[in-house]
Amino acid sequence: MDNKQATLELGTKPVGKLLMQYALPAIIAMTAASLYNMVDSIFIGQGVGAMAISGLAITFPFMNLTAAFGAAIGIGASTYLSVKLGQKDYKTAERILGNNVTLNTVIGIAVGLVSLLFLDPILRFFGASAQTLPYARDYMTVILAANVFSQMFYGMNAILRAIGKPKQAMYMTIITVVLNAILDPIFIWVFELGIRGAAYATILSQIVALVWQMRILSDKKEPLHLHRGIYRPDHDIARNIIAIGLSPFSMNVCACIIVIFINNSLVKYGGDLAVGAYGIANRVAFIFVMINMGLNQGMQPIAGYNYGSQQLDRMLRVLKYAVIAATIIMTTGFAIAMIIPELCARLFTTDATLIGMSARGIRTIMMMFPIVGYQMVVTNFFQSIGKAKISIFLSLSRQLLFLLPLLIILPPIFGIDGVWYAMPASDALAAVVAAWIMAVYMKKFMKQHRELTNG
């Protein structure tokens, strides 16, 4: 099936089947991506040591910051592409594809170079101490040197999903996980490269997958493919890509800022091991967040296409199914966090103190997961239909409106407990805001649907 026929199915095939068709590969891919991140942490924790885990945790906000640029371009382009395909505007869709490559290349190189120039000051700002800085520096030097490949990999995977190739996008992620799992022990133990070995494994895995992505997207038999003449920057297309991509960009940047506050507060009230505990707890929570992100990625082209073609009943149906599925996913994560947090922590370290701190962190930060899924789906739904301002507001509500003030207010009063409990409290407040905004827009969508049906 060519990509034009695949996208036409977004407006005709039963919504439930479509969501399974698009979401399952994305969920598998995102689960693999979360395992991909866990593999590094597990091998570093077991093969290098507890302090290396803390050093790796310091890099999380930095990696989120660099990933924010890739997310802005990749998700912005894929969402814009979905809407244009729904409108049957294939010429513009082709130029969006080309501009996605151009923007990712330019921004990926620029971000990598600037970050390398100021690496040590940035890591210290993110909470690195004299003990954790060498580990964080060794890891990020390799990652940043190849940043353009990482950014392009994520951007091309988003495009594959948008043009009706969710399975291929899934395969790309699985390739990186398998290669990373194979290369990690070789580079860390056999070549004795330590934490740098894990970074080399990460980059090489992504480059291999990127080569395959480009081969798929260069197939001349497909109506939408890479070729000369589509790479020249188009001001209007670039502006629209960036406007839509501002939501995931803002979310990632805010997450970066928040983790800086968390890391510095944890160092202040609990020491370097507390940062490592947060890193482990975050990795466990990240599995379920990534699964939910996979569900949202499956929803995105369906919601975007049907919004573009004014089939609002189908758009609302996929939203309903996504909310139900997200609630099930995140409630499962909540149950695991409450029942076996120590077992989860032992995967990463043998240090008894770190295991105890990590188990407590896992229970705390996943406390509100049963309602987090809904908030994530609603935020991504508005992004999927091109309503960037609403999506940005919902993205920022948890991070800036609630979590940041709580991180400033609670730790001086409750110490390290204030750091941990600020996270589930902000989750609860953000879910309430998302429910209110969705209720307002649901009335608008229903009214618009009635007008289209009667008109």
Side-chain angles (χ1 to χ4, degrees):
M1 182 188 301
D2 64 36
N3 47 43
K4 186 178 290 187
Q5 185 179 348
T7 54
L8 288 174
E9 283 192 350
L10 293 170
T12 57
K13 198 170 182 178
V15 171
K17 289 183 179 180
L18 271 176
L19 185 59
M20 289 187 66
Q21 176 184 332
Y22 277 77
L24 282 178
I27 287 171
I28 293 171
M30 296 306 280
T31 304
S34 64
L35 294 175
Y36 174 83
N37 291 320
M38 282 186 68
V39 165
D40 273 355
S41 298
I42 290 171
F43 278 113
I44 289 169
Q46 300 288 352
V48 186
M51 199 55 65
I53 280 281
S54 295
L56 185 64
I58 293 296
T59 71
F60 293 165
F62 200 171
M63 294 183 73
N64 279 339
L65 182 60
T66 57
F69 293 93
I73 304 306
I75 296 176
S78 62
T79 302
Y80 190 26
L81 191 65
S82 293
V83 173
K84 287 301 176 183
L85 289 173
Q87 296 170 347
K88 311 296 189 297
D89 186 354
Y90 299 110
K91 184 177 181 180
T92 301
E94 199 170 57
R95 286 158 56 209
I96 293 170
L97 175 62
N99 273 249
N100 178 61
V101 174
T102 303
L103 287 170
N104 269 313
T105 301
V106 173
I107 295 174
I109 293 172
V111 170
L113 289 176
V114 172
S115 299
L116 282 170
L117 287 174
F118 302 99
L119 183 55
D120 279 14
I122 292 172
L123 291 173
R124 289 194 185 94
F125 180 68
F126 286 173
S129 66
Q131 289 74 35
T132 57
L133 180 62
Y135 294 108
R137 183 199 300 122
D138 284 351
Y139 189 79
M140 286 307 299
T141 299
V142 177
I143 296 295
L144 290 171
N147 181 66
V148 65
F149 300 111
S150 296
Q151 186 162 316
M152 189 70 73
F153 165 71
Y154 290 118
M156 292 297 101
N157 241 25
I159 292 294
L160 285 174
R161 286 187 295 271
I163 65 172
K165 295 184 181 295
K167 288 184 179 179
Q168 285 85 342
M170 174 189 71
Y171 296 149
M172 296 306 106
T173 307
I174 290 175
I175 286 171
T176 62
V177 176
V178 173
L179 281 176
N180 194 45
I182 293 171
L183 295 175
D184 259 339
I186 294 173
F187 287 142
I188 292 173
W189 287 314
V190 177
F191 294 157
E192 298 182 348
L193 292 173
I195 197 169
R196 290 175 69 91
Y200 284 126
T202 295
I203 293 302
L204 286 175
S205 301
Q206 291 176 345
I207 290 174
V208 170
L210 176 60
V211 171
W212 194 357
Q213 287 172 331
M214 290 305 212
R215 184 175 179 182
I216 292 172
L217 290 167
S218 299
D219 187 352
K220 294 181 181 179
K221 296 178 183 178
E222 298 282 3
L224 194 66
H225 62 272
L226 296 169
H227 62 85
R228 285 185 178 182
I230 64 172
Y231 303 107
R232 179 177 295 177
D234 183 300
H235 178 266
D236 290 335
I237 288 176
R239 185 188 60 196
N240 281 312
I241 288 173
I242 293 170
I244 296 170
L246 274 177
S247 175
F249 178 80
S250 301
M251 188 163 53
N252 279 311
V253 170
C254 286
C256 170
I257 294 169
I258 293 302
V259 175
I260 293 170
F261 272 88
I262 292 173
N263 283 345
N264 282 285
S265 294
L266 288 172
V267 169
K268 181 178 180 180
Y269 294 102
D272 286 328
L273 277 185
V275 177
Y278 173 65
I280 290 173
N282 203 29
R283 284 298 193 221
V284 175
F286 201 55
I287 295 173
F288 299 96
V289 171
M290 291 289 276
I291 293 172
N292 204 33
M293 287 174 65
L295 173 69
N296 289 331
Q297 288 176 359
M299 175 189 69
Q300 180 261 315
I302 305 169
Y305 185 98
N306 286 284
Y307 180 74
S309 62
Q310 292 293 286
Q311 298 185 77
L312 300 185
D313 57 329
R314 292 173 59 81
M315 179 194 75
L316 293 174
R317 209 175 308 143
V318 75
L319 171 64
K320 174 185 174 181
Y321 294 155
V323 167
I324 294 170
T327 303
I328 294 171
I329 291 165
M330 301 306 274
T331 301
T332 302
F334 166 81
I336 290 173
M338 296 302 116
I339 298 169
I340 53 170
E342 290 86 2
L343 182 61
C344 295
R346 287 194 186 99
L347 291 172
F348 298 86
T349 182
T350 56
D351 187 289
T353 303
L354 185 54
I355 289 172
M357 295 174 72
S358 301
R360 184 183 180 191
I362 290 168
R363 277 200 179 101
T364 305
I365 69 174
M366 297 175 71
M367 187 182 297
M368 291 293 171
F369 263 34
I371 59 174
V372 167
Y374 173 83
Q375 195 267 345
M376 290 182 65
V377 168
V378 170
T379 300
N380 281 273
F381 167 73
F382 284 110
Q383 175 186 303
S384 298
I385 62 174
K387 294 190 176 293
K389 290 181 180 179
I390 300 168
S391 183
I392 290 170
F393 173 75
L394 290 173
S395 299
L396 297 180
S397 65
R398 177 188 180 271
Q399 308 280 8
L400 292 186
L401 294 183
F402 304 126
L403 184 51
L404 186 57
L406 288 171
L407 285 170
I408 294 171
I409 296 168
L410 297 183
I413 301 172
F414 301 105
I416 195 169
D417 288 341
V419 183
W420 289 117
Y421 284 103
M423 290 177 259
S426 64
D427 286 336
L429 292 169
V432 171
V433 172
W436 172 65
I437 290 179
M438 192 67 246
V440 172
Y441 270 85
M442 190 64 85
K443 292 180 182 178
K444 294 182 180 180
F445 290 137
M446 294 304 294
K447 180 181 178 182
Q448 188 178 354
H449 175 58
R450 286 194 298 269
E451 290 173 351
L452 289 169
T453 302
N454 298 329

